[in-house]
């Protein structure tokens, strides 16, 4: 079984709709992250959480919110989706140590 | 702010070596990473190097770090068609939480 899972894997929605993307991990890591990937731009950090009570904004948090429901679960919400939020979204986790992050398979979101 | 740059595209023939280059600006980088992304998949950590090292070798992969020039490279020996993917360079600084990614290099391996 995958260590970091994301649901849904694909989603098409309309402008103005509220969307939630979910991430679960079985790695036992405290740190979790949400990124978005756009062609030619690499990955940009949206939000990150170091533990259940810790939530921090990344470089592009506007239009997004998150919830850390448990150590293993970190969800990303788009309160009112807009077309320029069409992207590939990745969840990642990390433990302490060398800081390497482990990524989920991604959610492809299309906002029409 | 911190920045990581990579060339966008590299094409090599199967069996040749590939060298993917990366430059970064953060002088406080502690670890530097190479991730691989295959089509439709997430990012897979290939290897990483601590900033006080010059080189790290792992089977077909060789990472070279020139800290003075802030230059990182990934050499793939005997490149195979299965190596075709996007390769991301990333670095983490003193903050120890925030990975800064390059925009990725698309490697195409021709038969």
């Amino acid at each position: 079984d995958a260590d970091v899972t994301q649901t849904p894997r694909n989603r098409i929605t309309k402008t103005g709709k509220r969307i939630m993307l979910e991430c679960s991990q079985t790695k036992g890591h405290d740190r979790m992250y949400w990124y978005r990937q756009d062609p030619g731009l690499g990955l940009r950090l949206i939000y990150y959480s170091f533990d259940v009570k810790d939530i921090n904004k990344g470089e592009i948090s506007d239009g997004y919110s998150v919830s850390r429901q448990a150590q293993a679960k970190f969800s990303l919400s788009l309160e009112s989706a807009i077309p320029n939020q069409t992207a590939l979204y990745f969840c990642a986790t990390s433990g302490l140590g060398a800081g390497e992050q482990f990524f989920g398979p991604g959610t492809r979101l299309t906002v029409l | 702010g911190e920045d990581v740059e990579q060339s966008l595209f590299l094409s090599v023939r199967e069996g040749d070596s590939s060298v993917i280059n990366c430059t970064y600006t953060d002088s406080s980088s502690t670890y530097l990473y190479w991730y691989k992304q295959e089509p439709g998949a997430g990012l897979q950590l290939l290897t990483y190097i601590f900033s006080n090292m010059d080189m790290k070798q792992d089977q077909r992969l060789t990472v070279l770090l020139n800290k003075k020039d802030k230059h990182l490279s990934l050499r793939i020996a005997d490149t195979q068609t299965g190596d075709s993917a996007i390769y991301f360079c990333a670095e983490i600084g003193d903050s120890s939480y925030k990975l800064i990614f390059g925009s990725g290099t698309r490697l195409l391996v021709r038969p």
Side-chain angles (χ1 to χ4, degrees), chain A residues 80-92:
Chain A
S80 179
I82 56 176
N84 77 0
Q85 291 177 313
T86 293
L88 195 52
Y89 289 84
F90 288 102
C91 173

Side-chain angles (χ1 to χ4, degrees), chain A residues 2-13:
Chain A
D3 295 318
V4 185
T5 56
Q6 293 183 234
T7 56
R9 293 294 313 277
N10 287 282
R11 181 73 183 267
I12 300 174
T13 191

Side-chain angles (χ1 to χ4, degrees), chain B residues 56-67:
Chain B
K56 181 178 180 181
Q57 187 152 3
D58 183 1
Q59 299 182 338
R60 291 190 298 122
L61 305 179
T62 303
V63 178
L64 295 178
L65 175 60
N66 182 329
K67 197 172 181 181

